[in-house]
Amino acid sequence: MVRAIVGANWGDEGKGKITDMLGETSDIIVRFQGGSNAGHTIINQYGKFALHLLPSGVFYEHTTSIIGNGVALNIPYLFKEIQSIVERGVPMPKILVSDRAQIMMPYHILFDQYEEERLGKNSFGSTKSGIAPFYSDKYAKIGFQVSELFEEAALREKVERVLEQKNIILEHMYHKPTLDPEEMYQTLLEYRDMVAPYVADTSLFLHEAIKAGKTILLEGQLGSLKDPDFGIYPMVTSSSTLASYGAIGAGIPPYEIKDIICVVKAYSSAVGAGEFVSEIFGEEAEELRKRGGDAGEYGATTGRPRRMGWFDAVATRYGCRVQGATEVALTVLDVLGYLEELPVCVGYEIDGVVTRDFPTTVKLAKAKPVYETLPGWKCDIRGIKKYEDLPENCRKYIEFIEKQIEVPITMVSNGPGRDEIIYR
Ligand code: GDP
């Protein structure tokens, strides 16, 4: 049985917590896209962790964690992340890295920085983790697969060939120091030694696991609106954030994904540039930012303050649809207990016409939010375990959202902890 946990919004919906929670009943947890550019925050008996590349299942002794072929694999980062959790008392996790995963090269990170510098005020607000240059090279067919690290002669020759092109760009476009092929080759041999203990044919491993009836979780990073096809292009990430890509990025048949849990946040937040219709500003935003998440809404990777907004039903219904959501986990609802009333964006007004359908980016730029306002519940809902025990206005807010997004809300998260969850 394969389940996917994915985001319906701009990311940071609290997928890490839901994955960590459902990890308890899973055998295998797979990262299938993205790299170390996004962070999941997880709070459990070992403490508080910000994971960037490791799947959120690494805290359980019974799970195998897989870095799938679709991931941008930063090998030294992976190595450091494993060490950092083990140092804090977490038992050494079982980790498998796909032999088809491609390697984040040191120059991908440089190119990401140089390009953002070059773009100046038009920059993408990249986390500068090398993601865009990495996926560009993968599809330009000049990337390096993990498997290639084990063929020395061919590797050396390819490094020379690829660096020839990279050095032209470094020298003439960015006016930066060029790269030495021998040094790069030696770095890759170090990478090989770091990753070697984990390398496996993970698609085959998953094939066998599915046959044996194992429970598998696919863990998405970011959310629908950051997908290169269906998101707010070009202010998106460079790999698909959709559950359907889970089949490719993990190497399993698409029909095996039976359950698609869309994580939806009870209000909106976004990092980086891009259209954000229900965005709020000033004190109103600062108040929500300070109260948001478990320690304020600041990027888990970069520490940047997140942009804040009211719940956007247009974007979220669309976000759930493109994910193919079968159920929704509504998170960080507890944060909203201070509000007198809660505006919910139920439509976009574009050129004088109100629509409920999420448009392409050019039209989105002209959209103004249409709000419906619900009364607040004015109390702390943390600690509540049963849906019926939630204040009436809080249930009304949940049920209003459910109606708007047209997917059943089966879980409501009312705190960052593993067991702060209400099943409906
Ligand atoms: P992810 O990338 O989707 O996993 O999201 P992040 O980890 O970046 O952001 C979610 C933040 O909200 C983290 O700091 C979580 O600990 C926190 N969080 C998750 N669920 C809840 C919740 O129900 N209530 C509160 N207060 N915080 C939550």
Side-chain angles (χ1 to χ4, degrees), residues 20 41-49 51 56-60 88 90 416-419:
D20 180 54
T41 312
I42 293 162
I43 300 171
N44 55 30
Q45 74 269 32
Y46 300 108
K48 178 174 170 176
F49 298 86
L51 292 185
S56 305
V58 290
F59 300 103
Y60 290 106
R88 288 178 58 193
V90 178
R418 207 180 245 181
D419 50 6

Side-chain angles (χ1 to χ4, degrees), residues 77-322:
Y77 201 106
L78 177 74
F79 202 67
K80 262 203 331 241
E81 198 155 82
I82 296 171
Q83 274 181 330
S84 75
I85 65 164
V86 171
E87 270 166 19
R88 288 178 58 193
V90 178
M92 182 63 193
K94 285 191 282 298
I95 295 171
L96 297 177
V97 173
S98 167
D99 54 2
R100 290 178 183 274
Q102 294 212 1
I103 301 158
M104 175 64 69
M105 302 291 279
Y107 52 78
H108 289 142
I109 297 162
L110 291 176
F111 276 101
D112 204 352
Q113 289 165 7
Y114 296 161
E115 184 59 11
E116 289 281 288
E117 265 170 47
R118 191 184 73 82
L119 290 170
K121 70 173 178 33
N122 295 321
S123 76
F124 288 92
S126 157
T127 59
K128 303 189 183 75
S129 319
I131 301 297
F134 168 91
Y135 283 105
S136 307
D137 278 3
K138 175 171 175 176
Y139 294 108
K141 302 177 286 189
I142 51 170
F144 289 82
Q145 260 188 6
V146 165
S147 60
E148 291 177 84
L149 294 174
F150 299 88
E151 290 297 329
E152 291 188 8
L155 180 66
R156 177 177 249 137
E157 189 272 326
K158 184 168 169 182
V159 168
E160 270 172 30
R161 187 155 42 85
V162 173
L163 285 202
E164 203 174 294
Q165 188 236 43
K166 296 295 170 199
N167 279 339
I168 293 170
I169 302 172
L170 281 171
E171 189 178 345
H172 298 285
M173 182 149 159
Y174 296 117
H175 311 293
K176 298 283 185 187
T178 55
L179 301 164
D180 176 36
E182 181 55 29
E183 250 175 65
M184 188 62 59
Y185 172 67
Q186 291 303 328
T187 301
L188 290 180
L189 295 185
E190 285 169 28
Y191 283 9
R192 178 195 62 193
D193 296 342
M194 285 183 210
V195 81
Y198 308 109
V199 177
D201 181 345
T202 53
S203 171
L204 179 63
F205 180 87
L206 288 168
H207 173 76
E208 302 292 348
I210 291 170
K211 269 206 304 202
K214 301 281 186 204
T215 302
I216 298 161
L217 260 191
L218 304 179
E219 178 180 23
Q221 177 220 33
L222 296 168
S224 304
L225 305 173
K226 294 282 187 182
D227 183 74
D229 285 84
F230 292 96
I232 50 171
Y233 189 85
M235 297 304 178
V236 294
T237 192
S238 302
S239 67
S240 176
T241 57
L242 302 183
S244 42
Y245 188 75
I248 296 166
I252 59 169
Y255 55 77
E256 294 292 350
I257 307 172
K258 304 288 188 224
D259 186 14
I260 298 172
I261 302 170
C262 245
V263 185
V264 167
K265 195 147 139 171
Y267 53 90
S268 302
S269 75
V271 283
E275 304 308 333
F276 184 1
V277 177
S278 67
E279 184 167 13
I280 54 175
F281 303 92
E283 259 173 54
E284 202 179 35
E286 188 49 34
E287 177 85 50
L288 185 55
R289 182 178 302 118
K290 268 196 336 238
R291 292 170 178 271
D294 74 289
E297 291 284 356
Y298 303 93
T301 304
T302 57
R304 293 186 288 189
R306 290 179 183 148
R307 297 163 67 197
M308 308 302 297
W310 301 126
F311 185 83
D312 185 339
V314 178
T316 307
R317 180 173 51 253
Y318 170 82
C320 287
R321 172 167 70 81
V322 296

Side-chain angles (χ1 to χ4, degrees), residues 12-17 39-41 293-294 306 332 334 413-416:
D12 308 318
E13 298 94 347
K15 296 176 296 293
K17 172 195 157 158
H40 292 308
T41 312
D294 74 289
R306 290 179 183 148
V332 282
D334 50 299
S413 172
N414 60 338

